[in-house]
PDB file of all heavy atoms in Angstrom:
ATOM      1  N   ARG G 205      78.306  69.880  91.390  1.00  0.00           N
ATOM      2  CA  ARG G 205      77.019  70.320  91.967  1.00  0.00           C
ATOM      3  C   ARG G 205      75.969  69.284  91.623  1.00  0.00           C
ATOM      4  O   ARG G 205      75.176  68.919  92.513  1.00  0.00           O
ATOM      5  CB  ARG G 205      76.660  71.737  91.448  1.00  0.00           C
ATOM      6  CG  ARG G 205      75.449  72.323  92.036  1.00  0.00           C
ATOM      7  CD  ARG G 205      75.155  73.569  91.387  1.00  0.00           C
ATOM      8  NE  ARG G 205      76.223  74.519  91.310  1.00  0.00           N
ATOM      9  CZ  ARG G 205      76.620  74.990  90.139  1.00  0.00           C
ATOM     10  NH1 ARG G 205      75.882  74.949  89.044  1.00  0.00           N
ATOM     11  NH2 ARG G 205      77.723  75.813  90.098  1.00  0.00           N
ATOM     12  N   GLN G 206      75.912  68.908  90.312  1.00  0.00           N
ATOM     13  CA  GLN G 206      74.910  67.961  89.876  1.00  0.00           C
ATOM     14  C   GLN G 206      74.935  66.678  90.611  1.00  0.00           C
ATOM     15  O   GLN G 206      74.102  65.925  90.921  1.00  0.00           O
ATOM     16  CB  GLN G 206      74.974  67.745  88.394  1.00  0.00           C
ATOM     17  CG  GLN G 206      74.446  68.946  87.614  1.00  0.00           C
ATOM     18  CD  GLN G 206      74.511  68.727  86.077  1.00  0.00           C
ATOM     19  OE1 GLN G 206      74.797  67.698  85.670  1.00  0.00           O
ATOM     20  NE2 GLN G 206      74.170  69.839  85.424  1.00  0.00           N
ATOM     21  N   LEU G 207      76.276  66.158  90.884  1.00  0.00           N
ATOM     22  CA  LEU G 207      76.502  64.873  91.380  1.00  0.00           C
ATOM     23  C   LEU G 207      76.622  64.925  93.006  1.00  0.00           C
ATOM     24  O   LEU G 207      76.760  63.879  93.571  1.00  0.00           O
ATOM     25  CB  LEU G 207      77.907  64.364  90.865  1.00  0.00           C
ATOM     26  CG  LEU G 207      77.932  64.065  89.361  1.00  0.00           C
ATOM     27  CD1 LEU G 207      79.233  63.724  88.980  1.00  0.00           C
ATOM     28  CD2 LEU G 207      76.947  62.822  89.057  1.00  0.00           C
ATOM     29  N   GLY G 208      76.554  66.112  93.513  1.00  0.00           N
ATOM     30  CA  GLY G 208      76.546  66.278  94.978  1.00  0.00           C
ATOM     31  C   GLY G 208      77.971  65.950  95.561  1.00  0.00           C
ATOM     32  O   GLY G 208      78.163  65.451  96.668  1.00  0.00           O
ATOM     33  N   ILE G 209      78.962  66.325  94.763  1.00  0.00           N
ATOM     34  CA  ILE G 209      80.399  65.866  95.132  1.00  0.00           C
ATOM     35  C   ILE G 209      81.014  67.217  95.737  1.00  0.00           C
ATOM     36  O   ILE G 209      80.854  68.316  95.091  1.00  0.00           O
ATOM     37  CB  ILE G 209      81.169  65.475  93.899  1.00  0.00           C
ATOM     38  CG1 ILE G 209      80.729  64.243  93.439  1.00  0.00           C
ATOM     39  CG2 ILE G 209      82.772  65.432  94.200  1.00  0.00           C
ATOM     40  CD1 ILE G 209      81.323  63.795  92.142  1.00  0.00           C
ATOM     41  N   PRO G 210      81.685  67.153  96.900  1.00  0.00           N
ATOM     42  CA  PRO G 210      82.321  68.471  97.312  1.00  0.00           C
ATOM     43  C   PRO G 210      83.510  68.858  96.582  1.00  0.00           C
ATOM     44  O   PRO G 210      84.155  68.145  95.816  1.00  0.00           O
ATOM     45  CB  PRO G 210      82.806  67.985  98.786  1.00  0.00           C
ATOM     46  CG  PRO G 210      82.829  66.518  98.752  1.00  0.00           C
ATOM     47  CD  PRO G 210      81.907  66.048  97.765  1.00  0.00           C
ATOM     48  N   VAL G 211      83.720  70.181  96.639  1.00  0.00           N
ATOM     49  CA  VAL G 211      84.920  70.864  95.830  1.00  0.00           C
ATOM     50  C   VAL G 211      85.757  71.508  96.760  1.00  0.00           C
ATOM     51  O   VAL G 211      85.249  72.436  97.646  1.00  0.00           O
ATOM     52  CB  VAL G 211      84.391  71.736  94.785  1.00  0.00           C
ATOM     53  CG1 VAL G 211      85.523  72.346  94.107  1.00  0.00           C
ATOM     54  CG2 VAL G 211      83.356  71.056  93.816  1.00  0.00           C
ATOM     55  N   VAL G 212      87.040  71.240  96.849  1.00  0.00           N
ATOM     56  CA  VAL G 212      87.995  72.023  97.659  1.00  0.00           C
ATOM     57  C   VAL G 212      88.574  73.106  96.654  1.00  0.00           C
ATOM     58  O   VAL G 212      89.165  72.756  95.649  1.00  0.00           O
ATOM     59  CB  VAL G 212      89.058  71.187  98.216  1.00  0.00           C
ATOM     60  CG1 VAL G 212      90.108  72.037  98.978  1.00  0.00           C
ATOM     61  CG2 VAL G 212      88.445  70.126  99.325  1.00  0.00           C
ATOM     62  N   LEU G 213      88.549  74.324  97.055  1.00  0.00           N
ATOM     63  CA  LEU G 213      88.977  75.485  96.209  1.00  0.00           C
ATOM     64  C   LEU G 213      90.090  76.077  96.952  1.00  0.00           C
ATOM     65  O   LEU G 213      90.006  76.499  98.116  1.00  0.00           O
ATOM     66  CB  LEU G 213      87.857  76.437  95.905  1.00  0.00           C
ATOM     67  CG  LEU G 213      86.648  76.084  95.023  1.00  0.00           C
ATOM     68  CD1 LEU G 213      85.538  75.852  95.956  1.00  0.00           C
ATOM     69  CD2 LEU G 213      86.458  77.148  94.009  1.00  0.00           C
ATOM     70  N   VAL G 214      91.177  76.394  96.217  1.00  0.00           N
ATOM     71  CA  VAL G 214      92.315  77.124  96.823  1.00  0.00           C
ATOM     72  C   VAL G 214      92.138  78.549  96.466  1.00  0.00           C
ATOM     73  O   VAL G 214      91.871  78.903  95.403  1.00  0.00           O
ATOM     74  CB  VAL G 214      93.658  76.581  96.135  1.00  0.00           C
ATOM     75  CG1 VAL G 214      94.868  77.316  96.816  1.00  0.00           C
ATOM     76  CG2 VAL G 214      93.805  74.992  96.350  1.00  0.00           C
ATOM     77  N   ARG G 215      92.343  79.285  97.576  1.00  0.00           N
ATOM     78  CA  ARG G 215      92.072  80.882  97.427  1.00  0.00           C
ATOM     79  C   ARG G 215      93.178  81.508  96.625  1.00  0.00           C
ATOM     80  O   ARG G 215      94.340  81.022  96.608  1.00  0.00           O
ATOM     81  CB  ARG G 215      92.085  81.512  98.768  1.00  0.00           C
ATOM     82  CG  ARG G 215      90.896  81.259  99.586  1.00  0.00           C
ATOM     83  CD  ARG G 215      90.907  82.169 100.770  1.00  0.00           C
ATOM     84  NE  ARG G 215      89.891  81.719 101.853  1.00  0.00           N
ATOM     85  CZ  ARG G 215      88.611  81.792 101.702  1.00  0.00           C
ATOM     86  NH1 ARG G 215      88.035  82.339 100.737  1.00  0.00           N
ATOM     87  NH2 ARG G 215      87.801  81.294 102.521  1.00  0.00           N
ATOM     88  N   ARG G 216      92.867  82.518  95.971  1.00  0.00           N
ATOM     89  CA  ARG G 216      93.857  83.234  95.099  1.00  0.00           C
ATOM     90  C   ARG G 216      94.882  83.940  95.957  1.00  0.00           C
ATOM     91  O   ARG G 216      94.534  84.399  97.071  1.00  0.00           O
ATOM     92  CB  ARG G 216      93.130  84.288  94.281  1.00  0.00           C
ATOM     93  CG  ARG G 216      92.186  83.780  93.256  1.00  0.00           C
ATOM     94  CD  ARG G 216      91.491  84.866  92.559  1.00  0.00           C
ATOM     95  NE  ARG G 216      90.748  84.246  91.388  1.00  0.00           N
ATOM     96  CZ  ARG G 216      90.340  84.976  90.350  1.00  0.00           C
ATOM     97  NH1 ARG G 216      90.375  86.302  90.330  1.00  0.00           N
ATOM     98  NH2 ARG G 216      89.752  84.424  89.350  1.00  0.00           N
TER      99      ARG G 216
END
Side-chain angles (χ1 to χ4, degrees):
R205 186 184 312 128
Q206 288 180 3
L207 295 170
I209 294 174
V211 180
V212 175
L213 292 101
V214 180
R215 285 191 199 286
R216 293 177 168 196

